[in-house]
Amino acid sequence: MAEGSLFSGATGMIGAPAVRPISLAHLTVLGVSPPQLIVLAAEAGYQSVDIRLAAASPEDIEYPMFGDTPMRREVINLVAGTGVTVFDVEIIRMGRQTNASDYEYLFEAAARIGARRIKVVGDDTDESLMAEKFSCICELAFSYHLAVDLEFMVFSGIKTFQSAGRIVSLASQPNGSILIDALHLARSGQTPDKIGKIIDWCPGYFQLCDAPLNSSFNKLDLIREARTARLPPGDGALPLVELVRAFRLDCPVSMEVPRKTTLSNLENVRQVLQGAKKVLGMAG
């Protein structure tokens, strides 16, 4: 694949039709295994999934997906059989001791199951350092034909869209981009009009969920909300329609809506998808 088309737009193809694919983020139903996630996505009507292969916290399960394992073979077979692709794999946490080579096992697994992107968060506030680490990760990921998305979160080292933008700009890698999550954008005090129109350069993708508009939470409350207390699109007060309109029509959207619910996993992800389609429809 030519370098010029590898990271062009959301689909990786120049001239792709303006259809917004919808992906199911693992965090929405984190208790299910990667094969179960693909089956749920297929039954509910999603086009792809985002799989958490590397733990983001000590509580996360790290599934046997590294090396030629039965679960990895099952995922590969399910992708072929269902048509649901693996869009994104997560997560790399960048700190002062991070070496890109330490995550080559993750890049290898991601490429083997057909993923196109790797998600990264930064745990340090030193933007120059984070740019250096991000650049090294991007360079190694490029050899696996993977793009890298930097996610900002108000309770992490990289707290705002502006900070993430400076880091990606400093790193100056063709496969490096910013991931915008509707909740993290709101909790960092930003609104779609403040980030401006990004329709012309289109990050790799963006994440939708809903929540109350205002928050006076402390750090622990913000983490709890992000991991367990989001709302389906349309059930809260975030300016989701305005956010959607900031992106190109072919830019994928990932549904990351972890919440406590009595619904079955299938009913849950279907309800989330219904909310997403409603918001996307309102955005035109």
Side-chain angles (χ1 to χ4, degrees):
M1 185 181 293
E3 289 184 7
S5 63
L6 179 57
F7 308 111
S8 299
T11 62
M13 297 182 291
I14 295 174
V19 176
R20 194 184 304 282
I22 303 177
S23 191
L24 175 61
H26 207 162
L27 187 57
T28 301
V29 281
L30 193 55
V32 307
S33 68
Q36 291 171 321
L37 182 68
I38 294 172
V39 171
L40 278 173
E43 291 180 346
Y46 292 82
Q47 285 73 51
S48 60
V49 294
D50 311 330
I51 300 179
R52 180 164 292 184
L53 290 188
S57 72
E59 294 79 26
D60 288 350
I61 301 171
E62 197 159 278
Y63 294 97
M65 290 285 292
F66 304 111
D68 185 23
T69 66
M71 183 176 285
R72 190 162 93 173
R73 290 196 296 271
E74 184 180 5
V75 164
I76 293 169
N77 289 335
L78 281 169
V79 167
T82 64
V84 172
T85 61
V86 180
F87 182 69
D88 167 86
V89 162
E90 56 183 32
I91 191 169
I92 296 175
R93 303 196 70 97
M94 296 190 302
R96 290 188 172 270
Q97 305 305 316
T98 297
N99 292 309
S101 59
D102 293 341
Y103 290 94
E104 193 154 12
Y105 75 98
L106 185 61
F107 301 147
E108 187 276 334
R112 187 67 185 88
I113 62 177
R116 288 177 280 172
R117 315 191 75 85
I118 292 279
K119 184 190 297 180
V120 174
V121 297
D123 289 333
D124 199 288
T125 58
D126 186 333
E127 292 184 1
S128 294
L129 176 67
M130 291 292 93
E132 178 185 342
K133 300 293 185 181
F134 186 72
S135 179
C136 292
I137 289 169
C138 287
E139 287 178 358
L140 187 54
F142 193 94
S143 66
Y144 288 89
H145 292 256
L146 293 164
V148 185
D149 300 291
L150 179 61
E151 183 173 21
F152 61 93
M153 299 177 287
V154 70
F155 48 80
S156 71
I158 304 169
K159 303 180 185 302
T160 66
F161 172 79
Q162 290 80 4
S163 178
R166 288 191 293 268
I167 290 166
V168 171
S169 180
L170 281 171
S172 190
Q173 294 296 324
N175 59 332
S177 191
I178 301 169
L179 170 59
I180 297 175
D181 180 304
L183 179 67
H184 299 318
L185 184 71
R187 296 303 178 242
S188 65
Q190 300 289 290
T191 55
D193 62 294
K194 289 185 179 179
I195 65 172
K197 283 288 183 182
I198 51 181
I199 196 168
D200 290 332
W201 58 273
C202 186
Y205 67 110
F206 63 104
Q207 291 181 323
L208 277 190
C209 68
D210 219 332
L213 186 59
N214 297 313
S215 170
S216 58
F217 301 152
N218 61 31
K219 181 177 180 179
L220 290 179
D221 286 334
L222 288 165
I223 294 172
R224 178 196 59 79
E225 179 189 43
R227 289 182 63 89
T228 66
R230 304 192 193 202
L231 299 173
D235 285 3
L238 300 185
L240 300 183
V241 171
E242 292 80 3
L243 180 62
V244 170
R245 287 174 176 165
F247 295 90
R248 252 182 12 208
L249 287 176
D250 63 342
C251 188
V253 56
S254 172
M255 306 313 303
E256 188 170 79
V257 192
R259 57 177 176 152
K260 295 179 180 179
T261 177
T262 58
L263 297 174
S264 69
N265 284 329
L266 181 57
E267 291 170 330
N268 181 17
V269 300
R270 277 178 172 162
Q271 189 176 90
V272 167
L273 182 59
Q274 289 170 357
K277 289 182 175 180
K278 182 177 179 179
V279 168
L280 295 173
M282 292 171 63

